[in-house]
Amino acid sequence: MKKALITGITGQDGAYLADFLLKKGYRVFGTYRRLSTPNFWRLQYLNIFEQIELLPCDLIDSYSIIETLKTVRPDEIYNLAAQSFVGASFEQPLASGEVTGLGVTRMLEAIRLITPEARLYQASTSEMYGDNSFPFQDEQTVFCPSSPYAAAKLYAHHVVKIYRKGYGLFASNGILFNHESPLRGMEFVTRKITNAVAKIKHGLEPSLELGNIDSSRDWGYAPEYIEAMWLILQHEKPEDFVIATNTTHTVREFLDIAFRHAGLYWQTYVKTEERYQRPVDVSYLKGDFAKAREILGWEPKTEFKELVQIMVDKDLERWGDWLGGKHFPWDAWNYPNEKKILSRKLKYE
Ligand code: NAP
Ligand code: F7E
């Protein structure tokens, strides 16, 4: 039985990837970092928590990575752990660099020393292209990072290439464009919007505050991107691939579809606020996944409108179920604003 190690298994992609690999017959190991209250809601939501072998490991601590590799001796390593929120990387640039950038070098060094035969997937990102002016971005496009997060990811991206060339490691970068789902963190704009639509529709909140709603992203459906990660590691040689949809949409378009789907008009509810603007933003991303289609046979299936509707439906259902007295794995309890709404409701009932 093949063994896969997933760092960042508690995140959106980690949970979907764990589910995917279990279905493929892998023995799945996942790392989690020490928190005062560990949070496995996504693994519980997908009903796979019991099947995952969990180990404590933090990408800022080399020894914990080394111990993890010694214990697991994985065939495949999916390095998804990162401080992944671009906005937070402006507020915590050093911590973001430690985890998202240097953390990858720690992982590569540990692999080189302990399990050099293991295959590594590194979660690279379209954010590395930054505020570029190209109509499409592919594997040849120059990088111009526009945030501490993107700079850290670009450093990691290059270190992966250096270890591949210098030490012969099977290490590949997946340059994934934005991918979303009902398991997306609530700080990201898509889920922030769909969660707000649900709260507004259920009469729990009056409005939504956002930053730059003119930026444009190539948004895909996360479960489909997970398969691309796996395909990248099954390829005969280590290479880097862009994974995207070849389409782009503005935050405004996302708002329009999301609110309309709930029978609402977004202009009535959305305000823009300076505090959600980033010091530098990436205004336009549109990926070209031709290489992945040709070599891996991968392509996206879910269209933008359908993606937005999937997310709105799930958030409407969650808030509705909760109001109806149901209990289920959910992240709303982990966010101060949502927790206050939930607690207020409980208090007055
Ligand atoms: P996510 O939901 O934010 O998950 C990030 C994961 O990293 C969580 O499991 C988190 O653990 C873990 N983590 C954070 N700091 C850590 C540390 N110091 N040591 C060990 N683990 C740590 O992100 P995602 O959307 O699943 O994305 C997965 C990866 O793909 C990330 O590297 C992200 O940067 C990259 N990426 C994402 C997208 C996208 O659109 N989703 C696109 C391109 C690339 P906790 O649960 O404890 O916080
Ligand atoms: O922002 C704008 C914001 O935070 C998208 C991460 O997974 O994808 C993600 O990074 C856009 C930006 O994602 C709000 O300024 C407006 O232009 O959802 P986001 P991101 O920054 O594109 C890449 C590929 C990754 O690798 C990252 O890990 O939406 N925006 N108003 C807002 N964004 C947020 N979060 N909140 C707002 O209120």
Side-chain angles (χ1 to χ4, degrees), residues 10-13 33 58-59 80 82 84 149 153 176 179 184:
T10 55
Q12 171 190 259
D13 290 5
R33 59 185 171 146
D58 197 310
L59 284 197
L80 308 185
S84 75
Y149 166 79
K153 280 283 187 187
L176 271 55
H179 45 281
R184 189 57 143 151

Side-chain angles (χ1 to χ4, degrees), residues 132-164:
N132 69 96
S133 54
F134 300 99
F136 274 99
Q137 299 87 34
D138 66 12
E139 292 81 0
Q140 266 69 55
T141 308
V142 292
F143 297 119
C144 178
S146 299
S147 64
Y149 166 79
K153 280 283 187 187
L154 182 55
Y155 162 78
H157 183 86
H158 283 303
V159 178
V160 165
K161 287 161 90 93
I162 290 163
Y163 274 62
R164 177 161 83 207

Side-chain angles (χ1 to χ4, degrees), residues 7-15 31-35 37-40 42 57-61 64 79-85 95 98-100 121-127 149 153 174-180 183-185 187-188 218-220 222 225-226 229 243:
T7 69
I9 199 163
T10 55
Q12 171 190 259
D13 290 5
T31 69
Y32 66 100
R33 59 185 171 146
R34 202 265 156 192
L35 297 173
T37 313
N39 169 33
F40 300 111
R42 292 184 175 93
C57 174
D58 197 310
L59 284 197
I60 64 170
D61 187 303
S64 70
N79 187 41
L80 308 185
Q83 191 303 92
S84 75
F85 184 36
E98 275 291 345
V99 182
T100 306
Y121 171 87
Q122 166 58 18
S124 272
T125 167
S126 52
E127 281 296 298
Y149 166 79
K153 280 283 187 187
I175 307 172
L176 271 55
F177 283 61
N178 298 53
H179 45 281
E180 318 295 313
L183 297 191
R184 189 57 143 151
E187 58 274 48
F188 300 96
D218 181 331
W219 275 297
Y225 284 46
I226 295 317
M229 296 177 184
I243 302 298

Side-chain angles (χ1 to χ4, degrees), residues 59-237:
L59 284 197
I60 64 170
D61 187 303
S62 290
Y63 296 100
S64 70
I65 303 174
I66 288 170
E67 277 308 312
T68 301
L69 292 188
K70 279 187 181 167
T71 307
V72 179
R73 302 227 158 246
D75 300 291
E76 295 172 12
I77 301 165
Y78 295 86
N79 187 41
L80 308 185
Q83 191 303 92
S84 75
F85 184 36
V86 174
S89 80
F90 287 102
E91 289 154 15
Q92 300 181 358
L94 298 181
S96 301
E98 275 291 345
V99 182
T100 306
L102 281 174
V104 181
T105 307
R106 293 187 190 100
M107 173 60 78
L108 284 159
E109 269 299 287
I111 294 172
R112 186 174 74 83
L113 295 170
I114 315 290
T115 55
E117 67 294 339
R119 294 184 170 205
L120 174 73
Y121 171 87
Q122 166 58 18
S124 272
T125 167
S126 52
E127 281 296 298
M128 299 185 306
Y129 298 114
D131 211 12
N132 69 96
S133 54
F134 300 99
F136 274 99
Q137 299 87 34
D138 66 12
E139 292 81 0
Q140 266 69 55
T141 308
V142 292
F143 297 119
C144 178
S146 299
S147 64
Y149 166 79
K153 280 283 187 187
L154 182 55
Y155 162 78
H157 183 86
H158 283 303
V159 178
V160 165
K161 287 161 90 93
I162 290 163
Y163 274 62
R164 177 161 83 207
K165 196 170 172 198
Y167 300 112
L169 295 190
F170 192 112
S172 302
N173 291 298
I175 307 172
L176 271 55
F177 283 61
N178 298 53
H179 45 281
E180 318 295 313
S181 75
L183 297 191
R184 189 57 143 151
M186 283 189 185
E187 58 274 48
F188 300 96
V189 78
T190 55
R191 179 88 194 289
K192 183 172 171 181
I193 293 170
T194 61
N195 185 52
V197 166
K199 286 183 290 180
I200 291 168
K201 185 74 184 173
H202 285 294
L204 297 168
E205 215 164 57
S207 59
L208 165 64
E209 291 176 359
L210 293 175
N212 173 18
I213 60 174
D214 293 315
S215 63
S216 196
R217 289 288 183 278
D218 181 331
W219 275 297
Y221 186 38
E224 293 165 8
Y225 284 46
I226 295 317
E227 186 180 13
M229 296 177 184
W230 178 76
L231 286 169
I232 287 171
L233 287 199
Q234 310 317 304
H235 184 45
E236 61 196 22
K237 58 181 190 322

